[in-house]
Amino acid sequence: MSTRITLVRGDITTEEVDAVVNAANSSLLGGGGVDGAIHRRGGPEILAACEDLRRSHYGKGLPTGRAVATTAGRLPARHVIHTVGPVWSPSDDRSELLASCYRESLRVADELGARTVAFPAISTGIYGWPMDDGARIAIETVRASGTSVEEVRFVLFGTDAYETFAATL
Ligand code: AR6
């Protein structure tokens, strides 16, 4: 079965999907950008679940390139899949870690039985990844993933991000 890739412009916290992916950091305890928006709108249940993960499996935090699921709290989605993108570096090629975020998030989505998953453009905000390269890695990795997810929806904030993804697709 082939996965449909769709693009929308907007705020990922309003998406009605089985799982929303959060561009988190290793602490899992919140931050700015997508992460801040998800915790604000999803309410304290998400943070409580993240704190449980820190007490149990992820005492040192979630490593870059990995993914883990929690409740989606009050979001319209059913689950949040937290993943940690790499910080952009002009001298060190961290592309494989960024690809790993998409691959691992889809692996977790498959474990959850999710049919629809919304992704932000991981690492392209506070972590500084150039949008065109971030879009290329995102789309190539989803296409190569072999996931059972029926629809992968990229939710892009702003016209530039949307148009870059559209051109790549
Ligand atoms: N919906 C969709 N896209 C968004 C939204 C939103 N509500 N808000 C921002 N974007 P970022 P990163 C876009 O910074 O680069 C946090 O502090 C944004 O324009 O959210 O992976 C974490 O805790 C950009 O294109 O994530 C980490 O410390 C993309 O989403 C760090 O930021 C990702 O931007 C992670 O940085």
Side-chain angles (χ1 to χ4, degrees):
M1 194 188 58
S2 68
T3 303
R4 205 153 37 94
I5 298 179
T6 57
L7 309 179
V8 301
R9 251 179 74 182
D11 175 358
I12 198 164
T13 64
T14 65
E15 291 297 317
E16 294 181 14
V17 284
D18 293 329
V20 163
V21 176
N22 181 19
N25 61 66
S26 284
S27 81
L28 291 175
L29 302 178
V34 172
D35 198 11
I38 283 178
H39 281 283
R40 252 191 325 275
R41 201 174 179 114
E45 256 189 84
I46 300 176
L47 184 59
C50 288
E51 287 169 344
D52 282 347
L53 286 169
R54 288 299 307 275
R55 278 190 290 268
S56 55
H57 288 69
Y58 297 104
K60 293 181 183 158
L62 182 66
T64 304
R66 300 270 298 278
V68 67
T70 66
T71 172
R74 298 178 200 143
L75 297 180
R78 290 170 52 209
H79 310 276
V80 173
I81 298 172
H82 306 264
T83 189
V84 183
V87 176
W88 163 258
S89 160
S91 54
D92 181 22
D93 183 5
R94 299 175 182 168
S95 305
E96 187 43 45
L97 285 168
L98 183 54
S100 175
C101 289
Y102 289 99
R103 225 172 10 244
E104 287 294 301
S105 296
L106 289 171
R107 190 181 58 72
V108 172
D110 284 336
E111 281 171 11
L112 295 167
R115 292 191 300 186
T116 51
V117 178
F119 278 96
I122 299 165
S123 288
T124 66
I126 292 164
Y127 282 177
W129 208 283
M131 188 60 75
D132 54 352
D133 199 54
R136 178 187 62 78
I137 291 169
I139 289 170
E140 282 179 5
T141 308
V142 170
R143 282 183 176 150
S145 68
T147 179
S148 303
V149 169
E150 290 169 14
E151 180 191 354
V152 166
R153 190 179 304 168
F154 288 104
V155 183
L156 291 327
F157 218 46
T159 312
D160 284 359
Y162 181 88
E163 277 168 8
T164 303
F165 268 72
T168 307
L169 196 63

